[in-house]
Amino acid sequence: MPPPPGPFRPGFWRSPIRGPWLTSVFGLVLLIGIPLLFVTGLLSYASYNPGLSPLNDKTPDKGVLGFYLFSWPTHPYWLYRLLQGVHVTLGVVLVPVLLAKLWSVIPKLFEWLPVRSVAHGLERLSLLMLVGGVIFEFVTGILNIQLYYVFPGSFYRLHFYGAWVFIAAFVVHVGLKLARMTRALRSRSLSAELRTDLAHTLPEPPDPDGLVAAAPALPTMSRRGAVGMVGAGSLLLLAVTAGQSIGGRLRGTALLAPHNRDPGRGPTGFQINKTAAAVGITPALVGPDWRLEVHGRGAPLVFTREQLLAMPQHAAALPIACVEGWSTDDQHWSGLRLADLAAMTGMFGAGSVLVESIQPPGPFTRVVLRGNQIHDLRALLALRVNGAYLSLDHGYPARIIVPANPGVNNTKWVHRLTFRA
């Protein structure tokens, strides 16, 4: 059957720099970056301790895909900040490389005949899953970074299952193409290509995969220019993204961080995700009638905020790190140790604690923490930060702060703690 007109015709694609070598250069970068992206993403999911309680598990039907889950540690205290910062920053930095790789192989997407044999059909199916999966993962991830939740369901569930579909197709694709990629990379010297200017840029020899144009046009960009343009794009994205995770003076360079969330100045002037007003917290809910309930063995204990402030206070310097990739510098928190509150109820060796917020019901208004998180001496029910009372947006009158804990699990506006064996 003759190919239909348009992109299915071999003569439609005419770039003289498209070919196995350039495709393999971009593929090599992705071969290194994507597994790191996948591993840091899985560790980010594990940090929510989804195996501990249905409240923490956003993918309850994961089955064997939860094989790697483990008790999330509290040491080092910056662990989640590092992992999520790497995951989000790397994902953004790889976008130009991904687009370049898709451009380099786009003739394969319009191959004719679409299916020539069973083996060819399976390869095409893996390619469809690969391209669809990677676009889905990058798009949903970038939307999540911007707090733009337009997903038809939970971001965590969609991103989690999408990652497994994509990585399965990625492994199949690497198995099919690794030998060809190795041969293509060895066919040309990288240093020689980076010295070749536009005037001396020639098409690669014809290849069995059909990446090289059948009727190449005159070059308008050298391979050196293509690699340089993609590299410059990635460096630019690094410069405007990494600051939201690194903090300090570089925070001002994070142009891609969510905007319109200026925390103001002073001791409570650091990043927040959701304001009190956005989740329905009003001053009346946290006024003089607010009480903290602590449950364990025996009758519940009930405290006013003044009673909590009168108890021995402990301090910890910990950051807030969020799934969107942003994090704060270490903030100086003070309040009551969770271990001490557990002991007050007779639960000296508490294995978990249910933390409940006073905010209206919704995702993460209730969270379960593990025993190792309770008994870390830096795990606090915080009442102050940087020497000042918590602001309403930072969780006044009391909030949780635990080392290496995802920000969303450091529950704000706490009104009940239930310790369990």
Side-chain angles (χ1 to χ4, degrees):
M1 294 178 60
F8 293 96
R9 297 284 176 92
F12 184 86
W13 307 102
R14 303 193 61 196
S15 173
I17 65 172
R18 186 183 279 117
W21 183 85
L22 190 61
T23 296
S24 298
V25 169
F26 298 139
L28 179 61
V29 177
L30 294 175
L31 183 60
I32 297 170
I34 283 179
L36 180 58
L37 201 62
F38 181 68
V39 170
T40 53
L42 288 186
L43 291 174
S44 174
Y45 180 72
S47 69
Y48 285 75
N49 284 325
L52 173 64
S53 166
L55 290 178
N56 295 34
D57 195 351
K58 301 306 173 186
T59 54
D61 49 354
K62 61 186 176 297
V64 296
L65 298 183
F67 69 91
Y68 67 94
L69 297 177
F70 54 93
S71 297
W72 189 248
T74 57
H75 299 272
Y77 73 91
W78 40 259
L79 178 62
Y80 184 75
R81 182 183 185 188
L82 173 66
L83 288 174
Q84 197 60 19
V86 169
H87 181 73
V88 170
T89 303
L90 179 61
V92 173
V93 166
L94 286 179
V95 167
V97 185
L98 173 66
L99 294 177
K101 177 68 160 60
L102 292 176
W103 170 86
S104 72
V105 298
I106 196 170
K108 294 288 291 180
L109 299 179
F110 294 92
E111 198 173 60
W112 191 263
L113 293 167
V115 178
R116 300 171 185 171
S117 65
V118 173
H120 184 251
L122 291 174
E123 181 182 350
R124 297 283 288 171
L125 179 62
S126 72
L127 186 63
L128 178 64
M129 293 173 61
L130 181 73
V131 174
V134 73
I135 292 175
F136 178 83
E137 285 298 287
F138 275 75
V139 168
T140 55
I142 290 171
L143 289 175
N144 181 65
I145 293 170
Q146 293 299 317
L147 306 176
Y148 190 55
Y149 299 115
V150 293
F151 316 111
S154 167
F155 162 76
Y156 299 92
R157 180 173 298 187
L158 294 171
H159 206 63
F160 178 81
Y161 289 122
W164 280 107
V165 171
F166 164 63
I167 204 66
F170 179 78
V171 169
V172 171
H173 186 72
V174 170
L176 292 172
K177 300 295 185 180
L178 185 60
R180 298 184 202 181
M181 185 186 80
T182 303
R183 289 194 299 269
L185 290 173
R186 290 175 176 173
S187 68
R188 289 172 176 259
S189 165
L190 175 62
S191 60
E193 285 295 332
L194 295 181
R195 293 194 301 268
T196 302
D197 58 17
L198 180 64
H200 296 88
T201 296
L202 300 174
E204 294 184 49
D207 69 299
D209 289 329
L211 296 179
V212 178
L218 293 175
T220 57
M221 176 181 288
S222 65
R223 293 182 185 87
R224 175 179 68 183
V227 172
M229 181 178 66
V230 172
S234 290
L235 288 176
L236 178 61
L237 289 176
L238 175 65
V240 298
T241 302
Q244 69 170 345
S245 300
I246 298 172
R249 294 183 178 180
L250 290 177
R251 191 171 301 281
T253 66
L255 302 181
L256 295 186
H259 294 286
N260 301 321
R261 286 174 171 80
D262 184 4
R265 304 293 178 183
T268 60
F270 56 92
Q271 180 79 26
I272 56 174
N273 190 334
K274 294 181 180 179
T275 64
V279 297
I281 297 294
T282 63
L285 290 174
V286 295
D289 293 334
W290 174 88
R291 298 291 185 270
L292 174 71
E293 298 177 17
V294 184
H295 296 254
R297 288 195 178 96
L301 303 177
V302 180
F303 301 100
T304 65
R305 193 165 188 277
E306 289 70 25
Q307 290 173 320
L308 296 175
L309 288 168
M311 296 178 186
Q313 305 288 296
H314 299 276
L318 299 172
I320 293 286
C322 216
V323 68
E324 291 87 6
W326 64 262
S327 59
T328 72
D329 298 324
D330 291 354
Q331 308 298 321
H332 295 272
W333 309 89
S334 64
L336 306 177
R337 286 174 175 161
L338 294 182
D340 293 342
L341 290 168
M344 289 180 188
T345 68
M347 301 292 293
F348 294 93
S352 67
V353 59
L354 170 63
V355 182
E356 297 179 79
S357 174
I358 203 170
Q359 75 179 85
F364 301 106
T365 58
R366 300 191 300 159
V367 167
V368 176
L369 302 177
R370 287 188 183 271
N372 65 309
Q373 295 173 312
I374 296 169
H375 299 292
D376 190 296
L377 297 182
R378 297 163 296 177
L380 304 176
L381 178 73
L383 306 174
R384 294 185 179 94
V385 63
N386 298 324
Y389 290 148
L390 296 172
S391 67
L392 190 59
D393 285 341
H394 281 298
Y396 178 90
R399 69 169 297 162
I400 294 294
I401 184 72
V402 173
N405 205 29
V408 73
N409 280 0
N410 288 321
T411 309
K412 297 191 284 189
W413 311 294
V414 174
H415 83 105
R416 184 181 295 120
L417 299 173
T418 304
F419 292 96
R420 297 165 177 167

